[in-house]
Amino acid sequence: MSSEVTQYIIDKYKWTQELNFLRSVLIELPFEETIKWSAPVYVYKGKNILGLSAFKNYCGLWFFQGHFLKDDEKVLVNAQEGKTKAMRQWRFDNLNDIDPDLVRKYALEAIQNSEDGKEIIPTRNTKPLIIPLELQSKFDSNEKLKASFEQLTLSKRREFADHITEAKREATKLKRLEKIIPMILNGIGLHDKYKNC
């Protein structure tokens, strides 16, 4: 058992009983227990199968490839309809909602689906990276800035470019540009502080 998962459950004091109960079912199965994206995740043969989660009004399970589960009991929801293709969530309002046999059944089916290679692979953003004129102007006068930008991953470069392009007013574009220059020079992505929470 992961001490980080134990701490996550302790920190979610409103849902501690429910999370501990769900965990007790999952650790009996052939999962590796870990923390990813600041939450407990249960991994089988290197594949993320499901995760535990706790929110203000419910706790639950996330099935990473839940789209493939039969869901005979109709307990799964797509938390972001139209956005999320594979992931499905199972929400619980209290301890009495949790049927350990049903949780085990769904988890084992998810493991079998992984063994069978059932997987929706996310599509990557393939639109070309377009550098806004304001940023290009800075690159033209600052080789170090341009070199630092080129060292960033494509997704980070795209985030910076979009951040400037999405501003409607020229003053806002320039204000954003001044904010991101030190980040680029330090190799820090626009949203890095949120990814490490």
Side-chain angles (χ1 to χ4, degrees):
M1 291 197 325
S2 163
S3 59
E4 290 177 290
V5 172
T6 301
Q7 190 59 53
Y8 175 90
I9 291 172
I10 290 168
D11 291 344
K12 305 296 181 186
Y13 55 89
K14 180 178 178 183
W15 301 104
T16 300
Q17 278 188 292
E18 290 82 356
L19 293 172
N20 272 323
F21 189 44
L22 288 166
R23 184 188 198 189
S24 71
V25 174
L26 298 175
I27 60 173
E28 293 174 356
L29 302 174
F31 287 122
E32 173 193 341
E33 183 181 65
T34 187
I35 291 280
K36 294 185 181 185
W37 308 285
S38 304
V41 172
Y42 292 82
V43 178
Y44 176 76
K45 293 186 179 178
K47 295 277 189 180
N48 300 327
I49 304 298
L50 61 94
L52 280 180
S53 58
F55 298 95
K56 183 178 178 182
N57 297 318
Y58 61 89
C59 68
L61 297 172
W62 288 95
F63 289 90
F64 288 91
Q65 296 294 330
H67 167 79
F68 295 103
L69 293 169
K70 292 182 192 114
D71 194 21
D72 294 331
E73 304 297 322
K74 305 290 182 232
V75 295
L76 301 179
V77 295
N78 185 335
Q80 293 182 302
E81 202 63 56
K83 247 181 124 177
T84 305
K85 292 182 174 71
M87 195 175 285
R88 295 295 181 269
Q89 187 182 49
W90 187 353
R91 298 176 179 177
F92 305 101
D93 296 321
N94 60 63
L95 192 60
N96 295 330
D97 287 348
I98 303 170
D99 177 342
D101 293 329
L102 201 55
V103 169
R104 196 175 294 109
K105 176 185 169 189
Y106 274 65
L108 288 170
E109 183 186 348
I111 288 172
Q112 186 58 54
N113 287 344
S114 179
E115 286 278 12
D116 295 343
K118 294 180 179 178
E119 180 178 16
I120 293 176
I121 298 171
T123 55
R124 297 285 176 212
N125 188 343
T126 56
K127 73 176 185 174
L129 174 62
I130 299 171
I131 306 297
L133 294 174
E134 297 82 0
L135 188 54
Q136 186 61 53
S137 174
K138 290 289 184 183
F139 291 160
D140 293 343
S141 63
N142 186 336
E143 271 300 315
K144 185 178 178 191
L145 179 65
K146 183 178 180 183
S148 295
F149 185 79
E150 289 171 355
Q151 292 295 313
L152 296 171
T153 63
L154 178 59
S155 63
K156 288 183 181 184
R157 285 182 279 160
R158 193 182 308 279
E159 286 172 358
F160 283 125
D162 290 348
H163 187 59
I164 302 298
T165 304
E166 289 166 0
K168 292 178 177 40
R169 295 176 45 230
E170 191 62 29
T172 306
K173 289 183 182 197
L174 295 175
K175 186 177 177 185
R176 288 182 178 185
L177 184 59
E178 293 308 312
K179 176 189 166 198
I180 67 171
I181 287 172
M183 297 174 80
I184 294 170
L185 289 170
N186 290 307
I188 300 168
L190 185 64
H191 304 296
D192 282 2
K193 68 179 179 180
Y194 302 111
K195 292 174 183 169
N196 295 324
C197 291

